[in-house]
């Protein structure tokens, strides 16, 4: 997740410099490849973080146990089904209790190195580990140690990147004799909401051995990709055009029928690959584009997209929608009604589909005010309380 805890992370960075290490326990597994010890946060470190978090966001951390942080490398599949390297961060609470496992899916990130396995820290990973969760934060493909172009909002590879890291962490935990209690929680905001929904959908169909999907919390995600794109293109302006450019670049790489030349005005077909390359942040990419989409997209392409349900991009977006299933495990959706980046219609469409399917496992928390970035902290704090009520006694 990209939002919040800035002072928290600055303090983390200072401690990381002084506490990083190279020791890595040996583990052999089907998905697990390697582990690198990054840092240990002491109870004193966590007390400092808790003070900052309390001042800035009104949330305190449990400071009763230290947290070890590792970078995990593991094997997953790329969008074409080939084996590929992925990475993520693992936050291990030093507790004698059996640990619930929580996978946190982060929001959209353009910089390959600005993810938890590279920085050594994730504010919400630390918050969760302080509460007693064995917490993993997948980088996704194209970020961290993966050198691919990030397959932005590609359902299968996104879910695989999360699920295969969960399996790798299971192997790591078994080798290190870390007791798991069998509970699995999923949460993520923005792109992390999409990734959480995609992962939930996949796990409802094919569970992971020895883990029960206890609950998932997709937050402010673009689950209904086609409807989201129609909504944005009808409006003609969009506050964060880098997100659209990211999706077009990813789909252009994955699908032969998605062309930058067909969709983008000059010089963007030639320039887009140069600034969506893992070395530029979202703000700098936005500066190269325009919030007026008529200056970015070809008018005939936009018109055909809006009028033609068989438009290639609409068909590919439908292929990668993630709400079309029947959730059985408890699910909490949180979304701000005034979100201009990922519109609230995503939560509404998902809930309507779940009702048609007869699911009674899902509840929606609609926050009346606040835009996309402003809703991240309130959404996460709601999930923190909701998850805590589902934990097995004595496991955190």
């Amino acid at each position: 997740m990209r939002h919040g805890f800035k002072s928290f992370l600055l303090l983390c960075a200072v401690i990381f410099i002084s506490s990083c290490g190279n020791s890595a326990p040996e583990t052999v597994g089907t998905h697990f490849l390697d582990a690198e010890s990054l840092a240990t946060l002491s109870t004193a470190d966590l007390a400092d973080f808790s003070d900052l978090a309390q001042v800035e966001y009104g949330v305190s951390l449990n400071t009763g146990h230290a947290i070890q942080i590792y970078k995990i490398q593991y094997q997953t599949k790329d969008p074409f089904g080939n084996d590929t390297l992925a990475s993520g961060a693992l936050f291990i609470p030093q507790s004698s209790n059996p640990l619930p496992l929580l996978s946190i899916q982060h929001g959209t990130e353009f910089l390959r190195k600005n993810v938890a396995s590279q920085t050594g820290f994730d504010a919400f990973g630390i918050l969760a580990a302080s509460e007693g969760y064995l917490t993993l934060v997948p980088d996704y493909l194209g970020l961290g140690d993966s050198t691919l172009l990030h397959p932005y909002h590609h359902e299968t590879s996104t879910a695989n990147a999360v699920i295969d890291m969960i399996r790798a962490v299971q192997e790591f935990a078994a080798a290190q004799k870390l007791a798991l209690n069998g509970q699995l929680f999923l949460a993520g905001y923005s792109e992390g909401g999409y990734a959480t929904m995609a992962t939930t959908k996949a796990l409802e169909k094919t569970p992971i051995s020895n883990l029960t999907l206890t609950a998932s919390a997709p937050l402010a995600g673009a689950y209904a990709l086609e409807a989201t794109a129609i909504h944005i293109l009808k409006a003609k302006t969009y506050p964060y055009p880098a997100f659209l450019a990211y999706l077009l670049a990813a789909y252009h790489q994955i699908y032969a029928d998605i062309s930058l030349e067909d969709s983008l005005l000059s010089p963007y077909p030639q320039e887009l690959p140069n600034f969506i390359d893992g070395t530029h942040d979202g703000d700098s990419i936005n500066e190269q584009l325009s919030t007026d989409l008529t200056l970015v997209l070809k008018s005939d392409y936009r018109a055909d997209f809006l009028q033609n349900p068989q438009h290639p991009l609409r068909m590919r977006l439908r292929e990668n929608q993630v709400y079309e299933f029947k959730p059985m495990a408890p699910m909490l959706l949180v979304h701000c009604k005034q979100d201009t980046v990922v519109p609230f219609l995503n939560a509404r469409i998902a809930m309507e589909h779940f009702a048609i399917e007869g699911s009674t496992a899902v509840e929606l928390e609609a926050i009346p005010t606040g835009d996309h970035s402003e809703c991240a902290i309130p959404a996460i704090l709601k999930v923190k309380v909701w998850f805590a009520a589902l934990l097995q006694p004595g496991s955190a």
Side-chain angles (χ1 to χ4, degrees):
M1 303 174 194
R2 301 175 64 243
H3 312 287
F5 290 141
K6 291 182 179 178
S7 299
F8 184 97
L9 291 177
L10 287 174
L11 184 55
C12 283
V14 173
I15 295 174
F16 174 71
I17 291 171
S18 62
S19 63
C20 60
N22 296 316
S23 61
E26 293 184 4
T27 308
V28 177
T30 303
H31 296 89
F32 176 89
L33 296 176
D34 191 30
E36 177 186 349
S37 176
L38 297 178
T40 298
L41 303 181
S42 68
T43 55
D45 297 332
L46 291 174
D48 290 337
F49 300 157
S50 185
D51 290 343
L52 282 171
Q54 181 62 46
V55 169
E56 294 194 22
Y57 301 106
V59 57
S60 298
L61 280 69
N62 183 336
T63 61
H65 50 251
I67 297 172
Q68 288 182 305
I69 306 171
Y70 287 91
K71 178 172 79 171
I72 300 293
Q73 288 184 330
Y74 63 100
Q75 183 172 274
T76 188
K77 299 288 186 182
D78 69 15
F80 307 102
N82 303 309
D83 290 339
T84 192
L85 171 74
S87 57
L90 179 64
F91 300 82
I92 306 175
Q94 300 305 287
S95 171
S96 59
N97 295 327
L99 301 175
L101 200 155
L102 168 58
S103 181
I104 296 176
Q105 287 60 252
H106 66 76
T108 302
E109 182 55 65
F110 295 88
L111 286 169
R112 182 170 289 116
K113 299 302 182 183
N114 196 30
V115 288
S117 77
Q118 308 297 304
T119 64
F121 290 91
D122 180 273
F124 305 107
I126 294 171
L127 172 62
S130 80
E131 295 293 323
Y133 298 89
L134 181 62
T135 306
L136 59 106
V137 184
D139 295 331
Y140 311 144
L141 292 180
L143 300 167
D145 289 349
S146 172
T147 58
L148 307 175
L149 175 65
H150 174 49
Y152 193 54
H153 285 81
H154 180 255
E155 178 184 358
T156 303
S157 60
T158 298
N160 284 342
V162 177
I163 291 168
D164 289 338
M165 184 169 179
I166 294 171
R167 289 170 171 150
V169 168
Q170 278 185 298
E171 294 166 0
F172 178 85
Q176 305 310 312
K177 296 182 172 52
L178 294 173
L180 304 181
N181 76 353
Q183 288 187 296
L184 172 62
F185 296 81
L186 304 172
Y189 194 86
S190 194
E191 184 187 3
Y194 175 89
T196 298
M197 188 74 86
T199 303
T200 301
K201 179 181 175 183
L203 291 180
E204 292 277 16
K205 182 178 180 180
T206 308
I208 298 175
S209 296
N210 301 316
L211 287 176
T212 298
L213 179 58
T214 304
S216 68
L219 312 173
Y223 323 118
L225 291 175
E226 182 183 22
T228 299
I230 290 171
H231 174 87
I232 291 169
L233 295 192
K234 278 184 176 179
K236 297 185 180 179
T237 62
Y238 185 61
Y240 213 90
F243 290 162
L244 299 182
Y246 213 6
L247 185 140
L248 281 173
Y251 280 28
H252 172 67
Q253 175 185 250
I254 298 168
Y255 301 114
D257 56 358
I258 304 301
S259 166
L260 298 182
E261 291 285 349
D262 289 346
S263 58
L264 298 174
L265 291 166
S266 181
Y268 296 119
Q270 296 76 36
E271 292 186 353
L272 191 62
N274 295 327
F275 49 80
I276 298 187
D277 63 352
T279 66
H280 297 80
D281 65 17
D283 290 341
S284 64
I285 295 170
N286 279 327
E287 290 172 1
Q288 303 298 319
L289 301 166
S290 172
T291 57
D292 183 349
L293 298 182
T294 65
L295 302 178
V296 178
L297 288 173
K298 290 183 176 180
S299 59
D300 58 344
Y301 188 87
R302 174 178 165 274
D304 188 38
F305 179 90
L306 291 174
Q307 297 167 9
N308 179 13
Q310 302 309 309
H311 186 282
L313 181 56
R314 284 181 65 167
M315 294 175 67
R316 295 306 185 183
L317 292 172
R318 285 200 298 271
E319 286 179 23
N320 290 284
Q321 297 188 139
V322 293
Y323 67 90
E324 294 167 320
F325 70 108
K326 180 180 179 180
M328 301 301 291
M331 177 186 291
L332 175 65
L333 298 178
V334 184
H335 213 123
C336 271
K337 287 188 171 182
Q338 296 182 0
D339 195 326
T340 61
V341 177
V342 183
F344 180 77
L345 64 85
N346 283 279
R348 175 177 54 79
I349 290 172
M351 288 299 292
E352 289 172 354
H353 181 83
F354 297 154
I356 291 170
E357 291 289 330
S359 176
T360 59
V362 187
E363 56 185 290
L364 170 62
E365 181 82 29
I367 301 177
T369 60
D371 206 338
H372 192 65
S373 62
E374 297 164 342
C375 279
I377 299 299
I380 290 159
L381 296 184
K382 288 178 184 296
V383 172
K384 176 178 179 288
V385 174
W386 188 68
F387 278 175
L390 298 172
L391 280 171
Q392 292 179 7
S395 61

